[in-house]
Amino acid sequence: TALEQDATVTVTRGDTGEQQSLTLPGKAPNSSGTDNGNGTVTDSSTGLIWQQTDDTTYRDWQGAIDYCDALTLGGSSAWRLPSIDELQSLIDTSYTPTIDPIFIGTARHAYWSNTTDESWPPIAWGVNFNDADVSDFGQGSTLYVRCVR
Protein backbone atom coordinates (compact mmCIF):
# COMPACT_ATOMS: atom_id res chain seq x y z
CA THR A 1 0.00 0.00 0.00
CA ALA A 2 0.99 3.64 -0.26
CA LEU A 3 3.01 5.24 2.52
CA GLU A 4 0.92 7.10 5.06
CA GLN A 5 3.95 9.07 6.26
CA ASP A 6 7.39 9.88 4.91
CA ALA A 7 9.82 6.96 4.87
CA THR A 8 13.53 6.83 4.20
CA VAL A 9 14.83 4.04 1.97
CA THR A 10 18.33 3.10 0.96
CA VAL A 11 19.05 2.39 -2.68
CA THR A 12 22.17 0.68 -3.91
CA ARG A 13 23.91 1.54 -7.17
CA GLY A 14 24.24 -1.62 -9.23
CA ASP A 15 27.62 -0.75 -10.72
CA THR A 16 29.49 0.34 -7.57
CA GLY A 17 27.47 -0.93 -4.64
CA GLU A 18 27.41 2.62 -3.26
CA GLN A 19 24.34 3.32 -1.14
CA GLN A 20 22.27 6.50 -1.01
CA SER A 21 19.32 7.36 1.22
CA LEU A 22 16.17 8.80 -0.34
CA THR A 23 13.02 10.00 1.35
CA LEU A 24 9.73 8.73 -0.06
CA PRO A 25 7.01 11.28 0.59
CA GLY A 26 3.94 9.83 2.25
CA LYS A 27 0.38 10.20 1.08
CA ALA A 28 -2.93 8.67 1.94
CA PRO A 29 -3.44 5.12 0.68
CA ASN A 30 -5.36 4.92 -2.60
CA SER A 31 -5.49 8.69 -2.84
CA SER A 32 -6.14 9.77 -6.34
CA GLY A 33 -5.71 12.97 -8.18
CA THR A 34 -8.35 14.92 -9.98
CA ASP A 35 -8.82 14.30 -13.68
CA ASN A 36 -8.89 17.83 -15.07
CA GLY A 37 -10.49 16.66 -18.32
CA ASN A 38 -7.71 18.15 -20.44
CA GLY A 39 -5.05 15.45 -20.37
CA THR A 40 -3.79 16.46 -16.93
CA VAL A 41 -4.23 15.24 -13.34
CA THR A 42 -3.91 17.42 -10.25
CA ASP A 43 -2.43 15.63 -7.25
CA SER A 44 -4.41 16.87 -4.28
CA SER A 45 -1.67 15.99 -1.77
CA THR A 46 1.14 17.90 -3.54
CA GLY A 47 -0.71 20.42 -5.73
CA LEU A 48 1.36 19.28 -8.71
CA ILE A 49 -0.26 18.95 -12.12
CA TRP A 50 0.82 15.85 -14.06
CA GLN A 51 0.62 14.72 -17.65
CA GLN A 52 -2.12 12.10 -17.48
CA THR A 53 -0.96 9.83 -20.31
CA ASP A 54 2.61 9.46 -21.45
CA ASP A 55 3.29 9.19 -25.18
CA THR A 56 4.78 5.65 -24.95
CA THR A 57 8.10 6.81 -26.39
CA TYR A 58 11.46 5.82 -24.91
CA ARG A 59 13.88 8.75 -24.57
CA ASP A 60 17.35 9.27 -23.21
CA TRP A 61 17.64 11.69 -20.28
CA GLN A 62 18.32 14.83 -22.31
CA GLY A 63 15.54 13.86 -24.71
CA ALA A 64 13.18 13.55 -21.74
CA ILE A 65 14.11 17.03 -20.51
CA ASP A 66 13.65 18.45 -24.03
CA TYR A 67 10.29 16.70 -24.44
CA CYS A 68 8.88 18.16 -21.21
CA ASP A 69 10.29 21.61 -21.97
CA ALA A 70 8.51 21.57 -25.36
CA LEU A 71 5.22 20.03 -24.17
CA THR A 72 2.03 22.08 -24.46
CA LEU A 73 -0.86 20.40 -22.66
CA GLY A 74 -3.91 21.52 -20.74
CA GLY A 75 -3.44 25.11 -21.83
CA SER A 76 0.10 25.32 -20.44
CA SER A 77 3.64 25.08 -21.77
CA ALA A 78 5.26 25.25 -18.30
CA TRP A 79 6.06 21.53 -18.17
CA ARG A 80 9.27 19.99 -16.83
CA LEU A 81 10.78 16.64 -15.93
CA PRO A 82 9.91 15.82 -12.28
CA SER A 83 12.43 15.43 -9.47
CA ILE A 84 12.90 11.94 -8.05
CA ASP A 85 10.90 12.93 -4.95
CA GLU A 86 8.01 14.19 -7.09
CA LEU A 87 8.04 11.06 -9.27
CA GLN A 88 8.16 8.79 -6.22
CA SER A 89 5.10 10.56 -4.82
CA LEU A 90 3.09 8.81 -7.56
CA ILE A 91 4.02 5.32 -6.35
CA ASP A 92 1.02 3.40 -5.05
CA THR A 93 1.69 -0.30 -4.62
CA SER A 94 -2.00 -1.12 -4.22
CA TYR A 95 -2.15 -0.98 -8.04
CA THR A 96 -0.34 -2.78 -10.85
CA PRO A 97 1.44 -0.96 -12.38
CA THR A 98 2.29 0.79 -9.10
CA ILE A 99 0.49 4.05 -9.86
CA ASP A 100 -3.12 5.21 -9.58
CA PRO A 101 -5.01 4.14 -12.74
CA ILE A 102 -6.10 7.76 -13.22
CA PHE A 103 -2.71 7.92 -15.00
CA ILE A 104 -3.91 6.18 -18.14
CA GLY A 105 -1.66 3.69 -19.90
CA THR A 106 1.33 3.84 -17.55
CA ALA A 107 3.89 1.31 -18.73
CA ARG A 108 5.37 -1.27 -16.41
CA HIS A 109 8.77 0.26 -17.06
CA ALA A 110 11.07 2.96 -15.72
CA TYR A 111 10.38 6.69 -16.00
CA TRP A 112 13.00 9.46 -15.83
CA SER A 113 13.40 12.09 -13.13
CA ASN A 114 15.53 15.22 -13.45
CA THR A 115 17.58 14.20 -10.40
CA THR A 116 21.18 13.27 -11.10
CA ASP A 117 23.48 11.23 -8.89
CA GLU A 118 25.43 13.70 -6.73
CA SER A 119 28.57 11.58 -6.84
CA TRP A 120 28.40 10.76 -10.55
CA PRO A 121 26.43 13.28 -12.68
CA PRO A 122 26.23 11.08 -15.83
CA ILE A 123 23.72 9.04 -13.82
CA ALA A 124 20.09 10.09 -13.23
CA TRP A 125 17.38 8.52 -11.07
CA GLY A 126 14.16 6.93 -12.24
CA VAL A 127 11.16 5.02 -10.95
CA ASN A 128 10.03 1.70 -12.38
CA PHE A 129 6.24 1.53 -12.07
CA ASN A 130 6.32 -2.24 -12.60
CA ASP A 131 7.58 -2.80 -9.05
CA ALA A 132 8.05 0.69 -7.50
CA ASP A 133 11.82 0.28 -7.74
CA VAL A 134 13.93 3.45 -7.56
CA SER A 135 17.10 3.03 -9.60
CA ASP A 136 19.89 4.96 -11.22
CA PHE A 137 20.41 4.88 -14.97
CA GLY A 138 23.07 6.10 -17.34
CA GLN A 139 21.76 9.21 -19.07
CA GLY A 140 22.08 7.47 -22.43
CA SER A 141 19.57 4.81 -21.32
CA THR A 142 16.07 5.08 -22.75
CA LEU A 143 13.13 5.32 -20.35
CA TYR A 144 9.59 6.64 -20.47
CA VAL A 145 8.62 10.19 -19.47
CA ARG A 146 5.78 11.74 -17.48
CA CYS A 147 5.95 15.52 -17.21
CA VAL A 148 4.83 17.75 -14.33
CA ARG A 149 4.19 21.40 -13.61
Side-chain angles (χ1 to χ4, degrees), residues 28-102:
N30 299 316
S31 68
S32 61
T34 301
D35 182 342
N36 297 317
N38 61 2
T40 68
V41 172
T42 300
D43 185 326
S44 57
S45 64
T46 65
L48 294 171
I49 299 173
W50 291 90
Q51 177 185 19
Q52 186 171 25
T53 306
D54 66 71
D55 71 348
T56 68
T57 301
Y58 286 110
R59 291 180 171 82
D60 66 16
W61 188 70
Q62 187 60 56
I65 292 170
D66 294 344
Y67 169 75
C68 290
D69 286 348
L71 182 65
T72 298
L73 180 67
S76 176
S77 59
W79 296 94
R80 60 180 173 78
L81 197 60
S83 72
I84 192 62
D85 290 335
E86 291 168 337
L87 193 58
Q88 287 176 118
S89 75
L90 297 180
I91 294 172
D92 188 336
T93 57
S94 60
Y95 300 108
T96 302
T98 57
I99 188 171
D100 190 310
I102 197 167

Side-chain angles (χ1 to χ4, degrees), residues 73-144:
L73 180 67
S76 176
S77 59
W79 296 94
R80 60 180 173 78
L81 197 60
S83 72
I84 192 62
D85 290 335
E86 291 168 337
L87 193 58
Q88 287 176 118
S89 75
L90 297 180
I91 294 172
D92 188 336
T93 57
S94 60
Y95 300 108
T96 302
T98 57
I99 188 171
D100 190 310
I102 197 167
F103 294 99
I104 300 166
T106 300
R108 292 182 176 187
H109 295 283
Y111 284 71
W112 282 117
S113 80
N114 69 8
T115 306
T116 58
D117 188 307
E118 293 175 10
S119 62
W120 196 22
I123 298 292
W125 292 95
V127 171
N128 189 326
F129 287 104
N130 181 51
D131 55 9
D133 183 53
V134 177
S135 299
D136 57 356
F137 299 89
Q139 292 179 9
S141 301
T142 55
L143 282 64
Y144 285 105

